[in-house]
Amino acid sequence: MPILLFLIDTSASMNQRTDLGTSYLDIAKGAVELFLKLRSRDPASRGDRYMLVTYDEPPYCIKAGWKENHATFMSELKNLQASGLTTLGQALRSSFDLLNLNRLISGIDNYGQGRNPFFLEPSILITITDGNKLTSTAGVQEEVICPGVAFAWTGFYGTRASRECTN
């Protein structure tokens, strides 16, 4: 029963038009609709759950969570509007937080006790963006910055505890 999380860029740059006059956001919406249509033909997709997350500020970025039905997902997809900044780092963080919350509630992850290996619920995160400059309220950025997550080796969560156990 996989979870497919669609992370859609809703920054103002997605209002750009192609040569045919279609906005980038409309193309993204069409791609998700086509994907879901083709996926529904596969018998293995019966247990799929879909989530829709945008580049808006949390908690407004979560448009359809794991409890919403297919009709709600499609309605929220059609109502997406492009405005704001390209905050990819924050959007990725919100997406992973949502997936982790789902795992915690469903009993796959036990906080402080690790993951139950006999539960298997694959998650697929599909990001659709125009790839423009990453922007935030601080200005234009050259790299993705996920708030609360350090990418340096010494900054990974749990490394301090791991070092204490080895010393």
Side-chain angles (χ1 to χ4, degrees):
M1 199 159 80
I3 296 174
L4 292 123
L5 188 145
F6 293 93
L7 177 58
I8 309 294
D9 185 351
T10 53
S11 63
S13 63
M14 292 293 281
N15 281 324
Q16 295 178 79
R17 303 254 175 219
T18 65
D19 295 338
L20 301 174
T22 310
S23 73
Y24 288 180
L25 184 59
D26 290 335
I27 292 170
K29 291 178 189 181
V32 172
E33 287 179 20
L34 180 63
F35 179 87
L36 294 178
K37 182 179 176 183
L38 294 174
R39 178 77 179 149
S40 67
R41 294 179 184 168
D42 184 6
S45 71
R46 296 195 199 288
D48 287 357
R49 293 187 292 160
Y50 303 104
M51 297 182 191
L52 182 63
V53 179
T54 64
Y55 280 31
D56 295 333
E57 292 293 319
Y60 307 107
C61 60
I62 302 169
K63 302 300 181 186
W66 65 86
K67 293 183 179 181
E68 276 77 32
N69 59 20
H70 185 72
T72 304
F73 180 93
M74 295 306 288
S75 172
E76 289 293 331
L77 179 67
K78 289 180 182 180
N79 291 331
L80 290 181
Q81 298 293 319
S83 64
L85 302 173
T86 307
T87 53
L88 178 61
Q90 181 63 49
L92 285 170
R93 174 65 186 224
S94 298
S95 298
F96 287 121
D97 286 346
L98 182 62
L99 289 171
N100 287 334
L101 180 63
N102 175 55
R103 286 185 172 144
L104 188 63
I105 289 173
S106 64
I108 293 173
D109 283 344
N110 292 316
Y111 185 73
Q113 298 174 356
R115 179 165 290 152
N116 292 326
F118 48 87
F119 287 136
L120 179 62
E121 187 174 47
S123 300
I124 302 165
L125 190 133
I126 301 167
T127 304
I128 301 177
T129 182
D130 62 351
N132 259 348
K133 292 281 187 187
L134 302 171
T135 56
S136 70
T137 54
V140 177
Q141 302 168 349
E142 295 297 323
E143 59 186 22
V144 176
I145 299 171
C146 289
V149 178
F151 289 107
W153 175 253
T154 57
F156 281 125
Y157 291 127
T159 55
R160 184 180 308 149
S162 299
R163 267 186 274 145
E164 290 170 2
C165 291
T166 60
N167 291 336

